[in-house]
Amino acid sequence: MHGHLDAAFLPPEYPQFFQRGDGCRLWDVDGNEYVDLMCSWGPNLLGYRHPEIERAAAAQAAMGDVLNGPTPLMVELAETLVDQVPHADWAMFCKNGTDATTLGVVVARSATGRRKVLIARGSYHGIASWSTRPDAPGTTPEDHANTDYFDYNDVGSVESAVELAGENDLAAIVVTPIRHDIHRDLEPPTQMFAEGVRAICDRTGAALVLDDIRCGLRLDTRGSWEPYGVRPDLSAWSKAIANGDPIAVLLGAEPWREGANRVFATGSFWMAAAPMAAALATLEILRESDGIETMRRAGERLQNGLREQARAHGFEVTVSGPPQLPFLSFAHDANEERATIWTGECAKNGVYLHPYHNWFISVAHDDASIDRALEGTDEAFRALRNRDGAD
Ligand code: PMP
């Protein structure tokens, strides 16, 4: 196992293998049931095995999935996304988040004829070497030579990185809608930061690429920076857009279309039709159900409950994140020892969340399942206090 899917990085109580999912619940191969607060790391948006989405995908699969080219569903899905996302005038489909963010960089370079890309220190954009750590095994210094770094929410550091890269060689600034790096509390962007990176891209002619892979469809159906009034040139989406069926998409504004047309980009499975049917169903259900507000309320119920429990048990914690992507960290927990014990106890008590990566809420998290999760987290706080004492 590799990366985030490797349970060896988690407390020993966590299972490696799962049997099935239903709504917001998961079962491991030993038959243990969990209220799932990781949502398959984002894809589970409306509930595992959502009947209407399953039906839409199965109906297309019955006619064929991977064919010699796309079905008309591709056009319908592109038009739906372009209607829904104000900055977008065109769409390019692919499979994983890495495909979409990397295509964003490739399109930006194709359109500008420039090399350099700026990303925030600690941000995750996938496994391609333009965005992995400079010391990532299996990569060369040359793989990283065109990437420079800034600090999230620090416009001055973006300006310094632009200077280092050279304005005339800057192809793109790639940025996530919120700061959701592992091992730290979540942080929203400041208005000044969002507007600042937009202004720098306008001045330099570089593309502003919004990596909406993790937040997309959880914060705002139009794109996660729409509430800030800041529109990217390109945006990368995956995870939640087909409720778990594999698909990703790069959306772009008109001035970037020609650059996109010129690139060579394709994949054997990129035009698979069943995930496109699933995506159309997902987008329609989310639109009609006010799902984002449902997730926000459920996440808030969880966050408020956690704050109260921590207080009652005498722990100093920080509950961060927009309610749809909540997270909890302990004070005085440099090596995340408390987080490890607490999340392990949560798993033992039927709640699947994570010690150092943000969690995810789905539309299927109703009050009863949040309350069930809170029973488990309460037990976990009690176990931690019995073991370690409180603050
Ligand atoms: N960008 C962000 C912000 C992500 O959270 C992820 C996945 N965790 C990716 C890119 C890469 O997506 P994938 O794992 O589907 O390649």
Side-chain angles (χ1 to χ4, degrees):
M1 293 305 302
H2 289 272
H4 66 295
L5 301 174
D6 185 350
F9 289 115
L10 289 165
E13 292 84 353
Y14 280 73
Q16 176 65 75
F17 292 95
F18 296 89
Q19 192 73 271
R20 67 189 181 94
D22 191 24
C24 66
R25 310 267 172 149
L26 268 183
W27 286 262
D28 67 21
V29 286
D30 297 318
N32 298 308
E33 179 180 335
Y34 304 89
V35 176
D36 176 29
L37 293 170
M38 289 309 287
C39 293
S40 50
W41 302 81
N44 183 29
L45 180 75
L46 297 168
Y48 292 113
R49 295 173 55 234
H50 190 289
E52 281 168 69
I53 301 167
E54 299 270 295
R55 228 178 352 260
Q60 179 55 50
M63 295 191 287
D65 183 14
V66 180
L67 305 169
N68 287 2
T71 68
L73 290 177
M74 186 201 73
V75 181
E76 203 184 321
L77 179 56
E79 287 176 351
T80 301
L81 287 166
V82 163
D83 284 346
Q84 180 174 320
V85 178
H87 86 84
D89 295 307
W90 52 263
M92 265 177 100
F93 294 100
C94 43
K95 260 310 120 195
N96 277 277
T98 296
D99 298 338
T101 55
T102 302
L103 266 182
V105 168
V106 171
V107 167
R109 286 180 173 148
S110 158
T112 59
R114 303 170 178 179
R115 296 179 299 173
K116 300 285 184 177
V117 177
L118 305 188
I119 59 177
R121 255 175 223 99
S123 271
Y124 185 71
H125 298 294
I127 61 162
S129 50
W130 64 267
S131 70
T132 54
R133 292 159 53 120
D135 62 353
T139 65
T140 67
E142 291 80 4
D143 290 334
H144 304 282
N146 291 311
T147 303
D148 288 317
Y149 297 87
F150 61 88
D151 295 316
Y152 201 95
N153 269 342
D154 180 348
V155 181
S157 79
V158 185
E159 289 287 10
S160 306
V162 171
E163 209 168 272
L164 185 69
E167 268 199 23
N168 296 329
D169 204 14
L170 184 62
I173 299 178
V174 183
V175 67
T176 56
I178 61 176
R179 185 172 192 180
H180 49 39
D181 311 350
I182 53 172
H183 299 295
R184 53 176 300 144
D185 297 327
L186 274 73
E187 192 182 314
T190 63
Q191 185 70 32
M192 191 199 279
F193 175 71
E195 285 176 9
V197 290
R198 179 67 272 174
I200 290 169
C201 287
D202 289 341
R203 187 185 80 220
T204 59
L208 178 59
V209 183
L210 190 67
D211 177 352
D212 226 338
I213 303 288
R214 199 179 305 178
C215 297
L217 298 188
R218 277 197 162 77
L219 301 184
D220 194 304
T221 55
R222 303 164 302 170
S224 298
W225 270 7
E226 204 52 32
Y228 295 85
V230 173
R231 292 189 177 156
D233 300 299
L234 306 168
S235 59
W237 304 65
S238 185
K239 288 197 187 281
I241 63 172
N243 202 49
D245 266 42
I247 187 165
V249 63
L250 180 73
L251 301 178
E254 192 57 41
W256 303 84
R257 187 193 293 271
E258 260 316 297
N261 284 345
R262 278 197 301 271
V263 304
F264 181 70
T266 183
S268 299
F269 300 105
W270 283 11
M271 290 305 130
M276 293 189 182
L280 281 163
T282 302
L283 293 171
E284 187 183 337
I285 295 165
L286 187 65
R287 251 193 331 268
E288 287 178 0
S289 65
D290 201 14
I292 289 185
E293 181 53 21
T294 305
M295 286 184 277
R296 202 193 56 72
R297 272 203 310 269
E300 221 166 56
R301 189 179 183 91
L302 178 73
Q303 288 181 319
N304 290 338
L306 289 171
R307 286 190 188 104
E308 269 169 40
Q309 290 176 355
R311 210 171 17 244
H313 286 284
F315 288 108
E316 198 183 318
V317 301
T318 303
V319 175
S320 64
Q324 303 91 314
L325 294 104
F327 184 59
L328 178 145
S329 68
F330 287 85
H332 324 296
D333 198 25
N335 296 321
E336 293 169 345
E337 280 164 24
R338 280 182 165 175
T340 302
I341 295 166
W342 182 73
T343 51
E345 290 292 333
C346 285
K348 226 159 60 185
N349 285 285
V351 192
Y352 195 106
L353 35 68
H354 201 281
Y356 56 82
H357 183 292
N358 72 264
W359 318 332
F360 298 86
I361 297 290
S362 78
V363 177
H365 285 93
D366 55 11
D367 286 355
S369 51
I370 294 295
D371 291 347
R372 168 66 199 88
L374 285 167
E375 284 171 27
T377 58
D378 197 36
E379 279 305 315
F381 279 122
R382 187 167 296 115
L384 181 63
R385 195 183 57 191
N386 289 341
R387 200 181 142 133
D388 269 15
D391 282 321

